[in-house]
Amino acid sequence: MVDMSFLSELITDSAAKIVLFVLDGLGGLPNPDTGLTELETADTPNMDNLARNGICGLLDPVAIGITPGSGPGHLALFGYDPIRYEVGRGVFSALGVGIELGPEDMAARVNFCTVENGIITDRRAGRISTEENSRLCTKIGKINVEGMEVEIVPEKEHRAALVLHGSGLSDRVTDTDPQRVGEAPLKCEPLPGAGGEAERTAKIVNEYIGKVAKLLAAEHPANMILTRGLAKHPNLPKMTDLYALKAAGIATYPMYRAVAKLVGMDLIDAGPTIAGEIEALKGAWDKYDFFFLHYKPTDSRGEDGDFDAKVRAIQEADAQMPLLMELKPDVLAITGDHSTPAILKMHSWHPSPVLFHSKWERRDNVETFGETACTGGGLGRFQAVHLMALMLANGMKLEKFGA
Amino acid sequence: MVDMSFLSELITDSAAKIVLFVLDGLGGLPNPDTGLTELETADTPNMDNLARNGICGLLDPVAIGITPGSGPGHLALFGYDPIRYEVGRGVFSALGVGIELGPEDMAARVNFCTVENGIITDRRAGRISTEENSRLCTKIGKINVEGMEVEIVPEKEHRAALVLHGSGLSDRVTDTDPQRVGEAPLKCEPLPGAGGEAERTAKIVNEYIGKVAKLLAAEHPANMILTRGLAKHPNLPKMTDLYALKAAGIATYPMYRAVAKLVGMDLIDAGPTIAGEIEALKGAWDKYDFFFLHYKPTDSRGEDGDFDAKVRAIQEADAQMPLLMELKPDVLAITGDHSTPAILKMHSWHPSPVLFHSKWERRDNVETFGETACTGGGLGRFQAVHLMALMLANGMKLEKFGA
């Protein structure tokens, strides 16, 4: 566990502008035909130029061999050790769709799914449309359990956020999503020894799901829900307080807006494309000194297993770099929150390549931005949680430690 | 935080001689005209030869992105995690000038400064001479407050050490040095919630400074003092105990003698030049098995912002290497306690290049001692606190860990 709390005592003021550009799931694995990863295959003249004039390396989001979820991957980049700051999946879902979580509220991530004869046949109900999702949420939105206000809000496709607005609840309960088809949905159970609040919470969740199942019985394909990651708001310390930064988050997907909000960033609205995001960045430039810019397609195409589409997604991001560099950020870090190799079709444990550009860094011999080149980069390989200190240092926002 | 306390249980005896040669502030940043750092610019045939026959790497003194003071930088090299062992600046000042600190005594670092119409116009009083400093310390040396013995001892130029020999005092008070000109000196205040001892300490400091101000009123340019880093002796565990080493410190500047003494080294007197230091090393060779050799000019010239002078300082150290190698140390580590790039004119967060020479290390492909070359070195990049274990291991002074 890495305790970066001493950073707060070193914070000093500077006018520097820092940009953290996260290409979600950037890192990859080689295409067996060429031996080159997605990033190495992509034609990225702008990032290559930055790499030549900057310093590169590799980041382990959580630890060597650990495959991070998007939450931990981003928290690390913001300087929060993801092992110390565990945030339930439900919290990201709820914050992502704009639900305000009270200190006693509990949130879960929901999948609409298909159940036949009591057995799950599709954990995503054929990825129903967001519109269908909305209709179903309205239909089951009136359900209350034990007089408790229950809120269900659609995310994209088959995903929704469930919030129990109440008190005396506990997150020490199990998921109802077995994470595989061919099994029945699980009952929500209190963890061993978790006590009365967990027992009550499990009872409420099961009663709620029972009522949902009845209301959805005649629907198809989404005739049931699965819950996971039931959790309370973690109340993380804010970046504003920790680093005295005016921080802006620019992200189009709910999950990433949620994680930005969780650490105290202001969310800047942007169009759905990277060009729109950079337009938003420009608009907010004078009002903030730290910018988190999130780009989703690299991860999506990796999860699709579409190597060539991920290559194109990287190229589309690269094409926008000149617009970003027109703003002349004092410090720019380009990296991923984790790797998503197309040949694995999932997040992976491989370190993320990082490209760091600042007037005050040494140069290295890296000529192109790619995983193998980054292996010999001047930054070496380190835990992502340290990146924030490096960005702050290069922005002259950190005093000397000790005499 | 890195806990190296398990090292003590692995210690075993060997006749090996270990030399840690610290070129203060060694690491740098490239000269924009050449792309080469101070170390890369310097002609260092002897260290290059050692690099070819040794193994190189990069050390982070405290953590990535953290700029260390000299105290933390050295403690790390001696195997003490500087985040765990925080030592007040005042302690270094007092020990550096040879004051014995009792367990209840408090020490502060003092600057003579210039105040005009209540506002600080020069935090260093034009860097008065050490002689002028001595005269002023004698003049104010008779001041006592509340019957407490107060000692003020000159360091170099405008710097002095202040010690309150008393009991019932607390270090939970603020500095009076605002660290910038154009402001009035601050009052010493107890930290919020620090309690009665801190209140009493602040009162004593303010009363003392009030009396000093009166006595210095007619002086110029040094007509006031600023205090910082008021602290007690931290009572660090001694290297002698931790590693069963007979350790000698050879350093000409008070600060470095202080940090050596703090970890239990014997101080060896030496002339002011590197040649004199190596002469002293020779003289002490048979009586010790660990030698800390400190070289200051690399840092001083870096802080001056004089790139070429720092290059020359490195070359002067290199020229003495044959004399050092005549002693045939079993283990030799050459590094810095932090970087001091001339273009920044201050300590920085960049990792320190390290050159490690021992019969029992693997070789790498590093051909010259320089930051970029060290990036590809066989030691990789690691926290400086681990260097001590590596030196001990190469000296065959560590047993196997576990069965």
Side-chain angles (χ1 to χ4, degrees), chain A residues 154-365:
Chain A
E155 293 185 66
K156 296 208 172 193
E157 298 175 339
H158 55 284
R159 306 178 196 95
L162 174 71
V163 178
L164 309 176
H165 292 285
S167 60
L169 300 172
S170 164
D171 57 6
R172 315 250 313 128
V173 299
T174 59
D175 296 341
T176 68
D177 185 349
Q179 301 264 7
R180 57 174 71 91
V181 295
E183 294 188 15
L186 302 170
K187 287 278 161 203
C188 180
E189 308 272 7
L191 294 177
E197 294 197 341
E199 281 172 29
R200 178 164 170 259
T201 306
K203 189 165 164 282
I204 288 171
V205 170
N206 290 326
E207 216 173 302
Y208 175 78
I209 293 177
K211 291 184 178 183
V212 168
K214 273 187 197 153
L215 275 179
L216 297 185
E219 297 284 346
H220 187 81
N223 62 355
M224 184 53 168
I225 62 169
L226 302 171
T227 60
R228 56 191 160 109
L230 191 73
K232 290 189 191 184
H233 194 294
N235 269 318
L236 301 187
K238 303 284 178 260
M239 281 179 86
T240 348
D241 299 328
L242 288 177
Y243 317 129
L245 285 176
K246 282 174 287 177
I250 302 171
T252 54
Y253 270 57
M255 169 73 191
Y256 311 99
R257 295 174 68 85
V259 69
K261 197 169 175 188
L262 209 57
V263 296
M265 292 185 199
D266 286 350
L267 297 177
I268 310 294
D269 284 322
T273 63
I274 178 65
E277 289 192 318
I278 289 183
E279 204 52 48
L281 180 71
K282 263 190 186 170
W285 193 249
D286 293 337
K287 294 198 282 291
Y288 296 92
D289 39 22
F290 181 90
F291 300 86
F292 157 54
L293 185 67
H294 181 263
Y295 180 66
K296 178 70 177 167
T298 31
D299 179 57
S300 303
R301 299 298 80 76
E303 293 218 323
D304 293 343
D306 190 336
F307 190 98
D308 296 338
K310 187 175 169 189
V311 169
R312 286 194 300 273
I314 293 169
Q315 291 179 166
E316 280 160 28
D318 186 75
Q320 300 297 322
M321 292 309 300
L323 285 176
L324 199 165
M325 294 313 288
E326 273 177 18
L327 294 168
K328 300 195 195 311
D330 298 282
V331 182
L332 169 66
I334 305 176
T335 188
D337 55 333
H338 55 75
S339 295
T340 308
I343 62 166
L344 283 178
K345 297 189 185 184
M346 62 176 199
H347 293 197
S348 78
W349 60 90
H350 304 89
S352 297
V354 59
L355 188 171
F356 199 93
H357 193 265
S358 148
K359 196 168 156 187
W360 302 121
E361 276 301 324
R362 294 179 184 147
R363 301 291 169 264
D364 57 19
N365 297 322

Side-chain angles (χ1 to χ4, degrees), chain B residues 306-321:
Chain B
D306 191 335
F307 189 97
D308 296 338
K310 187 176 170 189
V311 169
R312 287 194 299 274
I314 293 168
Q315 291 178 167
E316 281 159 28
D318 186 75
Q320 300 297 321
M321 293 308 301

Side-chain angles (χ1 to χ4, degrees), chain B residues 110 112 128 130-143 151-155 157-161 208 216 225:
Chain B
V110 166
F112 283 100
I128 52 169
T130 307
E131 293 70 33
E132 172 72 350
N133 181 337
S134 292
R135 185 183 67 79
L136 295 172
C137 283
T138 306
K139 184 168 182 176
I140 62 179
K142 301 282 187 314
I143 299 173
E151 196 174 358
I152 184 157
V153 179
E155 293 186 65
E157 299 175 339
H158 55 285
R159 306 179 196 95
Y208 175 77
L216 297 185
I225 62 169

